[in-house]
Amino acid sequence: MTRQAFSSDRTPPPAGTYSVAIQAQGLVFLSGQTPRDIHNVRHGDKPFAEQARMALDNLQAAAEAAGLSLRDAVKVNVFLKNPADAKEFDAIYAGYVGDPPPARTLTQSNFAGFDIEVDAVLLARQA
């Protein structure tokens, strides 16, 4: 099995030992993205909607590094500090993934300093 890693100058740099995106067996796995900018500064002080858009924009940039889009997502994992933000997140998220939406899991997380993280699995396009 071959793997291909992808990086982007439009995503924050990895905060640890991981790839922004990696393709294997016809799938592309996107690492979790948070409301960080390309200079690795977290923006957890912003309103939730702005944090959500920033995390999703980072995830979209990771998908684009692999030549894809969040519209190619088959599974998305959403981690929220406050589950009450789910409805607001859903309204923003719908514009990123299109129809039909991918399978999704929403989990409450005990984040410190920000409110959201999102990762995804995409179906790679066949050449």
Side-chain angles (χ1 to χ4, degrees), residues 9 13 21 24 34 36 51 54 81 89 97 99 107 116 126:
D9 59 0
T34 61
R36 290 187 297 143
Q51 289 187 55
M54 184 175 275
K81 186 174 187 176
F89 172 79
V97 297
D99 192 44
T107 304
I116 184 170
Q126 301 301 316

Side-chain angles (χ1 to χ4, degrees), residues 70-101:
L70 289 181
R71 293 184 182 273
D72 297 303
V74 293
K75 178 68 166 93
V76 175
N77 295 304
V78 182
F79 304 90
L80 297 179
K81 186 174 187 176
N82 183 354
D85 290 329
K87 188 173 183 176
E88 185 174 11
F89 172 79
D90 200 48
I92 296 165
Y93 167 81
Y96 285 83
V97 297
D99 192 44

Side-chain angles (χ1 to χ4, degrees), residues 6 10-11 21 23 26-30 55-76 93-102 118-126:
F6 301 93
R10 294 182 36 236
T11 62
Q23 181 172 343
L27 297 173
V28 176
F29 300 86
L30 304 181
L56 288 165
D57 286 346
N58 288 341
L59 202 64
Q60 176 66 23
E64 289 172 358
L68 299 168
S69 156
L70 289 181
R71 293 184 182 273
D72 297 303
V74 293
K75 178 68 166 93
V76 175
Y93 167 81
Y96 285 83
V97 297
D99 192 44
V118 186
D119 68 35
V121 178
L122 313 177
L123 186 60
R125 296 188 183 126
Q126 301 301 316

